[in-house]
Amino acid sequence: MIHAITREVSPAIGQCELTHIDPVAIDVELARSQHAEYRQLLTELGCEVIHLPAEPDLPDSVFVEDTAVVLDELAVLTRPGAESRRAEVTSIAEALAPYRSLAELTAPALLDGGDVLCVGKTIWIGLSSRTNRAGVEQFERLVAPHGYTVRSTKVHGVLHLKSAATAVSDDTLLVNRDWINEDFNDYQTIAVDPSEPFAANALRVGECVVFSATYPRTAERLDSAGIHNHSVASSELAKAEGALTCCSLIFNV
Ligand code: CIR
């Protein structure tokens, strides 16, 4: 069974971290209703959704992806690059504890889950403003014994690796090459439509792909490549520099 951990949008989302985009007022109620649609879609796609209560003092806490990387063998609790986000990890650890053994990154490691792209047994980690080499090295030490190969790649001009590249099948990545130097030669790649630079973040749920309704041209490119996708609205949390993968931790039980 697929499980998805999510968390309600914080009433403080307006105080979220912003790195590469300008502040625009966020409508908390709209963000919550779009998030509810997202959870509903995950349920329809077969997920058991574990929805955690809002954290009023943690503005970015809806973006649960950044706090942990859940593999089949263990979950790695991260040390998020933004100090304001470190306290988010505690309640995620409690939520994951029934399902996985837990390991954690410690200082000087910095790593956001948004920088971690798992493609089979290869794990790509973006070196970004949130993730440093110590984070990559500690993470690698934890997962290598389980047969994973870790590869790092620089990310520039955008927050996380998964803003620039996500997997839409076992061997196909959706990419925006403006933000990464890596060629990803081992995979087939689909480029985002040039008018939709933020469209590279697709969420895989089992064999299904969830995709933002904001990017219809890139959705057509996916369709043409035989990657059929389920559309969901995500415009409001995009104002907090978040996308689709950020809002859940998805794993099999
Ligand atoms: C942040 O800057 O940390 C949040 N405002 C957005 C985090 C989005 N998370 C993600 O892409 N994995």
Side-chain angles (χ1 to χ4, degrees):
M1 174 115 202
I2 307 174
H3 282 46
I5 294 178
T6 61
R7 173 148 44 211
E8 187 55 81
V9 177
S10 172
I13 183 86
Q15 277 87 60
C16 66
E17 298 280 342
L18 289 178
T19 309
H20 295 282
I21 63 172
D22 294 328
V24 182
I26 297 173
D27 179 335
V28 179
E29 282 320 305
L30 180 56
R32 286 188 165 177
S33 73
Q34 290 183 345
H35 194 266
E37 280 173 39
Y38 173 89
R39 297 195 308 273
Q40 176 61 31
L41 179 55
L42 294 185
T43 303
E44 286 166 15
L45 296 179
C47 294
E48 171 83 30
V49 176
I50 301 161
H51 187 49
L52 305 179
E55 293 270 14
D57 298 327
L58 297 173
D60 280 305
S61 52
V62 65
F63 302 120
V64 292
E65 169 182 63
D66 293 317
T67 59
V69 179
V70 188
L71 304 174
D72 287 345
E73 301 84 356
L74 80 167
V76 179
L77 303 172
T78 67
R79 185 163 182 270
E83 206 189 338
S84 67
R85 301 202 54 193
R86 304 237 170 100
E88 295 174 26
V89 178
T90 311
S91 54
I92 294 295
E94 283 165 16
L96 283 169
Y99 304 103
R100 290 291 190 277
S101 63
L102 303 178
E104 63 179 345
L105 302 183
T106 55
L110 296 174
L111 184 139
D112 277 11
D115 277 317
V116 180
L117 169 62
C118 300
V119 195
K121 283 289 201 181
T122 302
I123 302 182
W124 291 90
I125 304 187
L127 289 165
S128 69
S129 59
R130 299 291 176 85
T131 296
N132 63 11
R133 287 200 184 277
V136 175
E137 285 162 16
Q138 277 190 28
F139 186 90
E140 185 171 24
R141 278 200 292 278
L142 292 168
V143 304
H146 300 285
Y148 292 94
T149 301
V150 170
R151 300 181 66 179
S152 62
T153 184
K154 283 218 167 99
V155 178
H156 44 85
V158 77
L159 189 58
H160 288 130
L161 174 61
K162 277 191 280 188
S163 317
T166 52
V168 290
S169 78
D170 289 346
D171 60 1
T172 310
L173 304 185
L174 177 63
V175 296
N176 178 342
R177 293 192 183 281
D178 290 343
W179 292 328
I180 35 173
N181 300 331
E182 179 58 49
D183 286 333
F184 290 121
N185 283 331
D186 295 342
Y187 310 99
Q188 310 212 42
T189 56
I190 300 170
V192 298
D193 187 277
S195 67
E196 298 174 342
F198 286 95
N201 188 271
L203 173 67
R204 267 189 105 188
V205 180
E207 294 304 308
C208 302
V209 172
V210 176
F211 197 63
S212 172
T214 314
Y215 309 119
R217 292 186 173 148
T218 304
E220 270 176 36
R221 290 185 177 210
L222 290 172
D223 277 329
S224 305
I227 311 274
H228 301 298
N229 47 88
H230 300 261
S231 174
V232 70
S234 66
S235 56
E236 214 52 32
L237 288 178
K239 297 177 185 169
E241 221 167 346
L244 295 178
T245 61
C246 327
C247 291
S248 54
L249 284 166
I250 295 196
F251 53 96
N252 287 308
V253 173

